[in-house]
Amino acid sequence: MNIQKFLKNKIKKICIKYNIPNNFDPIIRKNTKNNEIDYQVNGIIKLKKKIPYSSYQLAINISKDMKKSNIYENILVPPQGFINITLKSNWLCEHINNMYFAKNFNISIKNPKIIIIDYSSPNIAKDMHVGHLRSTILGDVTARLMEFLGHTVIRQNHIGDWGTQFGMLITQLQLTSCHSIEKIEKIYKIANLRYQKDPVFIKKTKKNVVKLQNNNKDCLKIWKLLVSKSIEKNNIIYKKLNISLTDKDIRGESFYNFMLPKIITELKKKKIAVNYNGSIIVYLNKFKNRLGKKMGVVIQKKDGAFLYTTIDIACLKYRCNILKANRIIYYIDNRQKQHLLQVWEIAKLAQYIPNNTLLEHHTFGMILCKNKKPFKTRHGKTIKLIDLLNKSIDKAKKIIKNKHQKMTKNEIKSIAHNIGIGAIKYFDLSKNRTSDYIFDWDQILSLNGNTAPYIQYAYTRIQSIINHDNLSHEINIYPIKIFTKFERYLVLTILQFEETIFHLEKYGTPHLMCNYLYDLAGKFSKFYENCSILFAKKIHIKISRIKLSILTAKVIKKGLYILGINTVKKM
Ligand code: ARG
């Protein structure tokens, strides 16, 4: 049950009676401040100029109409002109019982779409560092969520496997006649240094880039080896992080090489690109350079080499024409905003994008140290992602070992893995993705507050209640009912799972799911402290409460699954 959507539609219908323009979109907010009110209708004030009476009067009129329906316990209109709604417990019960038996909690969509999610997408030949964490896990949440809803999800790991850095690596490997590429990262560093000051090296590198782009056999052979080694390394991280990307989802920059010459010809033919001093450039009206003139975007260099932009234009064309995307979501660093907007603009001018295809850049903030500087090692070096993950798992291991001295090594290993990884992911996902956040080990693994361990612990506690009882045949006889206010709060919160899911679908904001799960775990805790479950005096109460516990656990598990976090049996 998407209560917000349900209420919105009801109010919109009433508004039509009062000649309110039908594009009026009432805002339905769940109420978090006052336990006696479930939802608040906002936005009526904005209609002030469109009606011949006050917006307060309109709110009163709407509320009178609402009162004819029997789903509201209470409807109040404070002088500020919004409407406070309390739903009837019977109505909540009807829906919670439906949800209990429904497949997928009765959550579905009418129009499944083809959604492409461009995420993680590291430049390979270098180890993934902490800066890759956000793109990787945020994108993965969206992929899981869209799939849960029934959309067709196409994951695209747009790895940086092409361009100058490979020219450098190939040149270095040719010069040293070294065939072992186990230490790619080291070789890359040496090559990079030489590229900064050695003119001969630079020249050779540039030649190799063009050779590679023209499918030269020798260059391709070295390149393939470099790429496969590097992917192997990244896969270790994906596995550890419980990321749903596989090798099938890799469609790196190199893939689009075959399209590039034609893109240039097409853009020239359509008079979008021009030749300037041997380079091919697109001048964009919408972007201004430092002198306030049309900005020129180079899509092919004098030496024939294509650029990152050219590849992204081809990639967008491919995603629209071949993959038939309805919506494309990019999880890329904010610093590439301009690049992306330019790519979109050029592709639009070239008519590569159908009108109804949505393009979105889901930006994210930076991870900072306690001193608010970028998160680095004590010596100022970038932190390797693998090291960060291992450290978290080690910390979790220590905590669990201390708590459970009799646990087997394997058990500790598996639990520590799920706790350590869950904690890092959740800490990140619980922050609004557009803001920077401070990485703090003390908070990440804390059992108190809005953290993964807190939610995972709540889950294990519910499991221990459910597992204590064997009531399978009676479960179907008695429905979930509300006997106390604690059950009412819990029922309402469980029902709010669906609206949370749809917020994520629209805005890609996992922190709302974290807040939701935190709220749910808290409501369960209050219910557990104040209501007897297994020792309830009457069987129908006991069953109702056990069912409520089962449903809470199911929702927590699914919510965590969408966040890419595993539950554990013991903690
Ligand atoms: N490889 C790029 C980087 O590490 C990110 C690629 C994002 N995707 C894209 N279609 N450009 O910065």
Side-chain angles (χ1 to χ4, degrees):
M1 180 71 201
N2 186 339
I3 305 181
Q4 275 178 337
K5 193 172 161 199
F6 174 84
L7 293 175
K8 188 182 272 232
N9 286 340
K10 285 230 150 207
I11 288 160
K12 273 181 141 183
K13 261 193 199 147
I14 296 175
C15 283
I16 293 174
K17 269 204 200 163
Y18 294 97
N19 291 328
I20 304 299
N22 59 1
N23 63 358
F24 169 57
D25 202 26
I27 302 158
I28 315 291
R29 286 216 175 95
K30 76 173 175 186
N31 186 21
T32 45
K33 290 183 204 118
N34 182 334
N35 282 332
E36 308 311 316
I37 299 164
D38 300 335
Y39 286 89
Q40 190 171 81
V41 186
N42 286 260
I44 298 173
I45 278 184
K46 284 195 199 135
L47 295 169
K48 225 171 15 192
K49 288 190 187 130
K50 300 208 167 88
I51 45 173
Y53 42 91
S54 71
S55 54
Y56 173 71
Q57 188 55 46
L58 177 63
I60 293 276
N61 292 347
I62 295 173
S63 74
K64 275 188 189 152
D65 254 86
M66 289 170 77
K67 279 179 187 158
K68 290 178 197 157
S69 155
N70 61 355
I71 66 168
Y72 308 107
E73 185 64 46
N74 213 350
I75 298 174
L76 283 174
V77 181
Q80 297 92 320
F82 42 78
I83 304 174
N84 286 334
I85 297 174
T86 312
L87 294 156
K88 273 222 162 82
S89 292
N90 279 350
W91 187 82
L92 295 177
C93 282
E94 183 190 326
H95 291 286
I96 203 79
N97 281 297
N98 284 343
M99 186 174 173
Y100 183 86
F101 288 108
K103 206 181 142 213
N104 251 0
F105 310 102
N106 253 344
I107 301 176
S108 66
I109 40 158
K110 282 199 199 95
N111 301 313
K113 299 260 158 60
I114 297 177
I115 303 180
I116 293 187
I117 305 170
D118 180 326
Y119 70 105
S120 193
S121 310
N123 290 333
I124 58 167
K126 282 186 272 183
D127 285 335
M128 284 173 79
H129 57 82
V130 70
H132 292 110
L133 181 71
R134 301 206 84 180
S135 165
T136 305
I137 65 178
L138 284 162
D140 206 47
V141 173
T142 301
R144 286 164 184 269
L145 178 99
M146 297 298 182
E147 233 155 34
F148 167 73
L149 278 172
H151 292 294
T152 299
V153 173
I154 305 180
R155 294 165 171 80
Q156 292 286 275
N157 193 355
H158 188 93
I159 56 172
D161 61 353
W162 210 234
T164 312
Q165 74 267 36
F166 287 90
M168 289 193 299
L169 275 164
I170 292 168
T171 312
Q172 181 63 28
L173 286 169
Q174 282 169 340
L175 284 175
T176 48
S177 68
C178 163
H179 295 295
S180 147
I181 53 161
E182 295 309 320
K183 303 221 156 64
I184 309 172
E185 177 112 341
K186 243 190 191 163
I187 301 169
Y188 181 76
K189 267 185 200 149
I190 299 168
N192 209 1
L193 280 178
R194 289 183 82 165
Y195 189 75
Q196 278 162 33
K197 40 187 180 222
D198 179 349
V200 182
F201 191 87
I202 297 176
K203 216 171 163 190
K204 281 193 176 148
T205 293
K206 286 195 171 162
K207 261 196 185 155
N208 273 331
V209 173
V210 178
K211 267 185 172 175
L212 188 61
Q213 286 180 342
N214 291 323
N215 297 325
N216 172 284
K217 250 196 196 161
D218 294 331
C219 285
L220 270 181
K221 198 175 153 195
I222 305 179
W223 171 81
K224 273 190 186 152
L225 212 63
L226 285 167
V227 173
S228 66
K229 285 280 168 212
S230 194
I231 288 177
E232 251 172 55
K233 261 185 141 182
N234 289 353
N235 279 344
I236 296 174
I237 293 189
Y238 292 147
K239 192 164 172 224
K240 199 161 249 184
L241 254 183
N242 196 18
I243 295 299
S244 60
L245 282 169
T246 67
D247 284 355
K248 285 201 301 282
D249 307 314
I250 296 177
R251 199 171 263 126
E253 293 179 16
S254 63
F255 174 83
Y256 303 97
N257 195 36
F258 77 103
M259 292 175 72
L260 304 181
K262 201 170 159 213
I263 294 278
I264 303 288
T265 332
E266 277 175 358
L267 291 179
K268 280 205 284 197
K269 213 169 141 197
K270 291 183 180 175
K271 304 227 163 12
I272 296 164
V274 292
N275 192 323
Y276 183 82
N277 273 347
S279 303
I280 310 297
I281 301 184
V282 179
Y283 287 97
L284 291 172
N285 275 327
K286 284 198 183 158
F287 296 82
K288 299 278 176 265
N289 63 19
R290 271 184 229 137
L291 303 170
K293 295 207 172 124
K294 281 185 197 178
M295 184 179 276
V297 181
V298 182
I299 55 170
Q300 189 171 22
K301 287 191 209 161
K302 263 186 204 160
D303 62 6
F306 303 106
L307 292 101
Y308 184 50
T309 306
T310 332
I311 295 174
D312 257 326
I313 297 168
C315 163
L316 187 47
K317 183 182 181 193
Y318 185 85
R319 288 174 180 176
C320 291
N321 291 359
I322 310 291
L323 301 181
K324 306 269 182 244
N326 302 118
R327 182 175 177 190
I328 308 174
I329 309 177
Y330 294 80
Y331 284 90
I332 317 184
D333 193 301
N334 215 359
R335 284 167 289 190
Q336 291 187 34
K337 176 122 236 150
Q338 167 141 314
H339 155 77
L340 206 53
L341 290 176
Q342 288 174 344
V343 166
W344 295 354
E345 180 63 14
I346 298 172
K348 269 181 204 156
L349 292 172
Q351 292 177 316
Y352 291 155
I353 311 168
N355 281 340
N356 47 4
T357 304
L358 298 173
L359 301 179
E360 293 169 36
H361 181 195
H362 286 194
T363 57
F364 43 86
M366 293 212 306
I367 307 180
L368 306 174
C369 280
K370 276 190 180 160
N371 61 10
K372 298 204 174 152
K373 295 236 168 79
F375 188 37
K376 295 218 163 126
T377 65
R378 242 180 265 160
H379 308 292
K381 285 191 180 157
T382 45
I383 296 173
K384 292 196 172 169
L385 192 47
I386 195 82
D387 295 339
L388 185 84
L389 302 182
N390 287 337
K391 188 168 173 183
S392 189
I393 295 171
D394 278 347
K395 281 181 179 272
K397 210 180 254 172
K398 274 192 198 125
I399 298 172
I400 293 157
K401 256 190 191 162
N402 275 340
K403 242 177 121 183
H404 302 277
Q405 262 113 23
K406 283 189 194 136
M407 221 181 238
T408 67
K409 251 191 172 168
N410 274 345
E411 231 178 332
I412 293 179
K413 198 175 156 196
S414 144
I415 295 175
H417 179 265
N418 288 326
I419 304 276
I421 294 298
I424 294 251
K425 288 177 93 170
Y426 191 98
F427 191 72
D428 186 296
L429 296 170
S430 64
K431 308 288 181 292
N432 189 334
R433 70 171 159 74
T434 55
S435 8
D436 298 341
Y437 73 85
I438 292 170
F439 195 90
D440 180 0
W441 281 115
D442 296 334
Q443 284 181 38
I444 287 173
L445 280 153
S446 165
L447 259 176
N448 299 314
N450 190 4
T451 64
Y454 173 77
I455 313 281
Q456 284 165 319
Y457 182 67
Y459 179 83
T460 58
R461 227 168 48 158
I462 304 173
Q463 286 302 315
S464 66
I465 300 167
I466 304 168
N467 291 340
H468 264 100
D469 229 278
N470 191 0
L471 290 154
S472 48
H473 65 286
E474 279 147 316
I475 284 269
N476 290 336
I477 303 175
Y478 301 107
I480 298 175
K481 279 199 170 167
I482 293 174
F483 301 99
T484 63
K485 62 180 181 184
F486 302 104
E487 282 152 303
R488 191 181 185 285
Y489 299 150
L490 182 59
V491 165
L492 178 64
T493 309
I494 295 174
L495 285 172
Q496 286 167 338
F497 184 54
E498 183 163 339
E499 61 197 40
T500 311
I501 292 273
F502 281 104
H503 274 295
L504 259 68
E505 186 206 27
K506 202 164 171 192
Y507 305 110
T509 41
H511 74 283
L512 295 180
M513 179 59 82
C514 297
N515 292 349
Y516 169 78
L517 291 175
Y518 181 52
D519 183 30
L520 178 62
K523 295 273 164 51
F524 184 84
S525 212
K526 284 264 150 50
F527 158 69
Y528 178 76
E529 283 159 23
N530 292 286
C531 306
S532 315
I533 303 176
L534 296 179
F535 298 106
K537 297 228 165 65
K538 303 227 162 82
I539 181 77
H540 68 285
I541 300 180
K542 177 173 166 179
I543 299 279
S544 167
R545 290 182 175 163
I546 289 178
K547 281 168 99 169
L548 208 44
S549 309
I550 292 175
L551 193 51
T552 306
K554 268 196 194 165
V555 170
I556 292 181
K557 194 178 172 90
K558 185 57 86 180
L560 285 178
Y561 167 80
I562 288 170
L563 297 177
I565 295 170
N566 290 329
T567 50
V568 290
K569 286 206 189 91
K570 254 192 246 169
M571 261 179 90

